[in-house]
Every structure is written in structure tokens, then in C-alpha cells.
Amino acid sequence: MDAIQQKVTLPPGPKPLPVLGNNHSFVRDPLDFLQTLHQTYGPLATIYMSDTPSVVLFEPEHIHYVLTENPRNFTSAEFAQNLQEFTGHGLFNLDGDTHRQQRRLVQPAFHRKRVESYADTMRQYTLELLDTWKAGEQIALDQELQQLTMRTVAKCLFNIDLGLRNSNLGQAFADIRENQPKLLEMILKLRINLPFTDYGKRQRGKRIIDEVIYRLIAQRRIEGKDEGDFLSMLLATTEDDQALSDTQIRDHIMTFVAAGHETATNTLSWAIYLLAQNDSEYEKLYLELQSQLHGQPPTLADLAKIPYTEWAINETLRLYPPAYLIGRRARAEFTLDNYTFPAKTNVLISKWVLHRRPDLWEAADEFQPERWRPENAKNIVPWSYIPFGAGPRICIGMPFAQLEMRMLLATILQRFKFRIVPGFKMQTDAVITLRIKNGLQVILEPAP
Ligand code: HEM
């Protein structure tokens, strides 16, 4: 109750219920809740996650303050405790010096030259998947893309080929994603490990993935060969002269596979959805591919010739940012806009609202890749677009993701056009990342 009484010093917000705080409204429809908060309370709003005050930020300069001006005051690990169940002490759950040190350690895997060397795998795996699709058939596009992005990240970073159909692992990730804690589990912090509980289902998913990862680590330790990949880097690393333990390596792998496939799958699914809804933008993109690539899958060098593809991806990330919310917890008191926030305040940064603010974006809800044409992009308000975050925790996989999304989209769209099944009503599903509810069913057509 103490925390609730402090509200007088905080920005206004909806009335919290005892115990629940505003959790119920948030869980019911997070995106609508965030929009309504901004419309009702303006630049800052206070909500309560159970009894912890959480300030929701919608202003570019406030977001800049938290992510880059004063990031040391805002921890991620404490905020991301629900992720810890799954990613252990991977980057999401580290802070301060340990975070900096571990991030520096894995950074070489994402240097430009190294990332560019992944382009051939990205193209080859996409072509292999496309060979299994037939014009006229209906597919669950997001599931197909999930298999592709998981296979790609596993091969590029860990040099293992999961094969075209890695449904076991795909299902295990789905078990975790689809059984996130419901209100009761959140409030009561209930963790009952039975086959039918959400927690039990998440644990089952985790067990399956762990088995694969630990087997991979053991095999590599036995082989003792430097494969020159991310995993070899982790195996060769020492921390204060101690090699990383299997658990530390497992946590890094889990973090990178989870962060690296789900976000890219969502973006590509949303991009194809948006292109299927916007004929003239689709035409422009397809014309660019035809005129520049002449029916051939892109090489790394080709990517510079297809800027519209990149703009379409930027625009997709604006409208449907997969990581739609960034969370932090304040270590010490801080001040914003004449409000003083106590230590332990949660900070929520809503990209969903920021990226669609009508005062920051013209025709904010429209899919307009042209706004990313360099002469137009220079008018974009600084800090109004942060799909990959910013500051010391900016997405480490950004160069990988940017390459992958262009390679995959350009390869796919040269072979197929997508028609959304009749009667489909798009609904968003904002749980950990922003997805299309119940997936995207499409009918394949040959590219024109
Ligand atoms: C469209 C694709 C992607 C988007 C939109 C995205 C978005 C983000 C965002 C917003 C953050 C920062 C979260 C924060 O500040 O708390 C982040 C962090 C991270 N991302 Fe990505 N990501 C994408 C792809 C990837 C890929 C492909 C990988 C790996 C192969 C990856 C690995 C990571 C990791 C490990 C972190 C944690 C970094 C840290 O805490 O230092 N992401 N991502």
C-alpha cells in the first residue's frame, strides 16, 4: 500500500485496483491500453504492476534520457525477471559491468564482415524452403518463417543444421511463448510444475531446448575444434581466467536463438501482410526486384541496389515493432518533467505509441515505405523511431537482422506472391513480442 500512496508525486494514470494494480487492463489488450494512456494522460503516465509504480514514457527526449543519457541508473535484469526463467543469465538478465563484459565478449560475432559472411546461408536456406512451397496451396506463413529463421540463426552462429523442418524445437519455443504467465500466476507468483499448468508447459518447452543445447555443447567440447563460429568463441572464452560454464554458454545460446528468430519471423510476417494489403507498395517493391535482380536471388552486393526493400522493412518495424515495449527498473531516484520518481520505479517505453504518434509521423497509421527515402528520412524526428532500442543495450543482433530480413524478403518475393485467406481478420497478439494473433494463413501465388 505504501507504494500506492506515493502516487501523489507521480504523473497521473488510471486508478489501480488493490493487489492487481492495473495489470488486468494491461493484460486484456496491451496495445489499446498503451494508446489510451497516451491519449488520456499525455507524455507520461503512471500505472501499477501489482503494487509497483511504473511510469510509461511516450516522449522522444524522455526515452533518450533513459536509454542513452543515464542508462546506468536503469537495470534490465530486475525488470526482465520473467525472461530469466528461460534465458537464465544471458544478456537480457545482466546489468552493469557484467553486462558490459559479456556483451564485449560476444560482440565479434556481429561485426560487419562476420555478419556479411552469413548472407549465403540465408539465401540458400530460403531457396530450400521455397522449393517445398507450391503455387495454389495454403500455408501458415509465420510457422514456415519461424522454421527458416531458427535454422538460419542456428547455422550462422552455432554451425548446426537443424534441417528444413525443425518442428520439435519450433513447438518447444511455441510452448514457452503461448503459455506465458496469466494474471493469477503473475499476482500470486504461482509456479506449479504440472503437465497442464502454464508453468509446466513452459518447463517442458525449456527441457526440450536445453537437451539440444547441452548436447551441442558436449559434442563441441569433445571435438575440441575451433569452428570459427559464435559457439567456438564462447567455448574459448575465459572470465577471470575461468572458462565459461556449460550453464553460462547455454544461457547465451538460448538468448540468441530466442531473440534472433522470433523477432525476424514477426517482422517478415508483418511485412508480407502489409504488402498484401497495399497493392501499389507491393508493385513498387516487386518492380525494383525485377529490374535489379532479374529473377535471381540476391547476393550481398545486390542489396545496395534494392533500397525500396529496405524501406519497406523499416516501415514494417515502425508500424509493428516486434519488441513493442522496453522495460527497465530504476536503481535510484530520477527526475523527468518535474516529477521525481523513487528508486525501484519501473519504466516502460512504448514503441507502439511512439512509432504511431500523429504529431510525429505524417499519416502515422499508413504503410508508406517512401518515408524512408533519404531525402524524406532526414525529416524524421530524432528518437521517434527505435525498433532496435538504443544505448548500451541496443540490439546486438541488429546487423544480422537487417541483413537477414532483406535477403529473405527479396528472395521470397521473387518467387511468390501472397494472398491472405478470405475472411481473415487481423488481430495483434502482444505477449513477449508483437505477433499476428493465430498466425498468418496465406495462399501462395506465383510471383507475377
Ligand atoms: C527484427 C529483428 C529484431 C528486433 C526488432 C530486435 C529488437 C531488439 C531490441 C529492441 C532490443 C533491446 C531491448 C532492451 O533495450 O531492453 C534487443 C536486444 C537484443 N537482441 Fe534483438 N532484435 C531483433 C533481432 C535480433 C537478432 C537477429 C538477434 C541475434 C541473432 C538479436 C539478439 C538480441 C540480444 C542478445 C539482445 C540483448 C542485448 C543486450 O541486452 O545487450 N536480436 N533486440
Side-chain angles (χ1 to χ4, degrees):
M1 203 59 197
D2 273 0
I4 291 186
Q5 277 159 7
Q6 286 172 10
K7 197 177 85 157
V8 280
T9 66
L10 300 177
K15 203 169 161 12
L17 293 177
V19 186
L20 283 176
N22 301 105
N23 280 350
H24 58 299
S25 313
F26 192 95
V27 170
R28 198 180 320 125
D29 187 345
L31 302 182
D32 183 59
F33 180 63
L34 290 164
Q35 276 294 5
T36 308
L37 279 180
H38 181 237
Q39 281 155 9
T40 315
Y41 303 102
L44 300 142
T46 303
I47 60 170
Y48 283 81
M49 297 173 101
S50 305
D51 63 353
T52 311
S54 307
V55 56
V56 193
L57 305 183
F58 305 110
E59 283 300 308
E61 60 271 32
H62 294 161
I63 293 169
H64 179 233
Y65 170 80
V66 170
L67 294 183
T68 46
E69 266 182 63
N70 196 13
R72 281 177 162 257
N73 190 37
F74 298 97
T75 70
S76 167
E78 274 184 71
F79 185 84
Q81 272 163 6
N82 64 330
L83 271 185
Q84 195 172 352
E85 172 186 315
F86 178 51
T87 52
H89 291 94
L91 285 185
F92 287 121
N93 295 92
L94 298 174
D95 276 310
D97 289 342
T98 326
H99 172 259
R100 229 183 343 275
Q101 183 235 349
Q102 295 280 309
R103 186 166 162 129
R104 209 176 307 130
L105 192 124
V106 295
Q107 190 74 62
F110 296 94
H111 285 162
R112 193 170 60 90
K113 279 277 161 232
R114 173 70 78 98
V115 168
E116 286 177 357
S117 73
Y118 304 144
D120 290 348
T121 302
M122 293 170 176
R123 185 185 48 248
Q124 184 200 326
Y125 280 4
T126 310
L127 289 171
E128 285 177 25
L129 177 67
L130 297 184
D131 284 343
T132 69
W133 292 359
K134 290 186 187 52
E137 77 181 351
Q138 180 175 327
I139 57 166
L141 184 69
D142 52 319
Q143 285 175 25
E144 297 285 307
L145 293 174
Q146 187 190 12
Q147 310 246 355
L148 174 60
T149 54
M150 200 174 346
R151 187 180 181 207
T152 305
V153 81
K155 178 68 182 173
C156 295
L157 298 188
F158 312 115
N159 199 22
I160 45 168
D161 185 356
L162 296 174
L164 255 178
R165 302 280 161 205
N166 38 70
S167 49
N168 237 3
L169 275 182
Q171 184 53 48
F173 276 99
D175 278 346
I176 291 168
R177 188 179 58 238
E178 281 156 22
N179 296 292
Q180 282 303 299
K182 308 258 172 358
L183 212 49
L184 202 63
E185 187 184 328
M186 279 199 260
I187 305 289
L188 303 179
K189 303 206 169 22
L190 274 179
R191 300 272 190 277
I192 302 172
N193 194 357
L194 289 170
F196 53 85
T197 60
D198 286 339
Y199 181 68
K201 289 179 193 163
R202 296 201 300 276
Q203 287 300 310
R204 186 183 59 203
K206 186 174 155 212
R207 258 195 320 274
I208 293 171
I209 302 167
D210 275 355
E211 252 176 56
V212 175
I213 297 181
Y214 281 121
R215 206 179 323 123
L216 173 67
I217 298 174
Q219 205 176 322
R220 280 293 193 86
R221 284 207 196 278
I222 292 167
E223 287 165 6
K225 202 163 106 216
D226 183 356
E227 297 275 354
D229 62 4
F230 182 70
L231 179 54
S232 295
M233 229 166 68
L234 293 173
L235 288 165
T237 292
T238 53
E239 191 186 22
D240 300 330
D241 289 337
Q242 294 245 310
L244 295 188
S245 68
D246 281 5
T247 314
Q248 280 176 304
I249 295 179
R250 172 260 177 224
D251 291 350
H252 278 306
I253 296 180
M254 185 71 114
T255 301
F256 278 85
V257 174
H261 84 278
E262 164 103 7
T263 43
T265 300
N266 295 357
T267 311
L268 289 166
S269 305
W270 285 116
I272 288 172
Y273 167 78
L274 286 164
L275 289 164
Q277 301 286 322
N278 291 275
D279 289 342
S280 83
E281 285 65 27
Y282 168 79
E283 296 286 320
K284 282 184 209 164
L285 202 160
Y286 186 67
L287 267 180
E288 173 183 91
L289 296 178
Q290 248 190 342
S291 64
Q292 298 300 320
L293 307 180
H294 315 289
Q296 293 303 311
T299 62
L300 182 66
D302 289 330
L303 294 181
K305 297 188 232 154
I306 51 170
Y308 196 91
T309 308
E310 183 180 351
W311 305 338
I313 291 165
N314 291 348
E315 184 66 344
T316 304
L317 287 167
R318 182 182 72 81
L319 285 171
Y320 295 103
Y324 67 99
L325 204 60
I326 292 181
R328 297 283 189 270
R329 181 165 297 167
R331 279 183 214 276
E333 186 178 284
F334 66 101
T335 306
L336 275 182
D337 234 17
N338 298 326
Y339 291 103
T340 299
F341 298 91
K344 295 198 165 61
T345 300
N346 286 336
V347 177
L348 299 173
I349 293 172
S350 170
K351 278 182 246 179
W352 173 258
V353 173
L354 179 73
H355 286 185
R356 288 173 177 251
R357 271 181 55 166
D359 54 333
L360 300 178
W361 300 93
E362 243 181 79
D365 290 336
E366 285 174 25
F367 178 63
Q368 294 186 351
E370 296 277 349
R371 70 172 94 233
W372 297 97
R373 187 181 277 287
E375 55 271 36
N376 300 335
K378 67 179 189 299
N379 299 325
I380 289 171
V381 176
W383 292 94
S384 61
Y385 180 71
I386 46 161
F388 292 99
R393 304 198 84 104
I394 191 169
C395 176
I396 195 170
M398 182 170 78
F400 184 102
Q402 286 175 328
L403 174 68
E404 182 187 27
M405 291 185 297
R406 285 184 292 160
M407 287 298 292
L408 269 53
L409 193 62
T411 308
I412 293 170
L413 290 182
Q414 285 197 90
R415 286 268 281 275
F416 289 100
K417 189 172 180 195
F418 299 88
R419 189 154 48 85
I420 295 178
V421 291
F424 172 80
K425 271 211 167 51
M426 196 283 283
Q427 283 181 288
T428 51
D429 184 11
V431 184
I432 307 177
T433 60
L434 181 54
R435 300 166 59 87
I436 300 176
K437 197 169 202 148
N438 302 321
L440 185 60
Q441 291 285 332
V442 291
I443 296 163
L444 296 171
E445 292 176 357

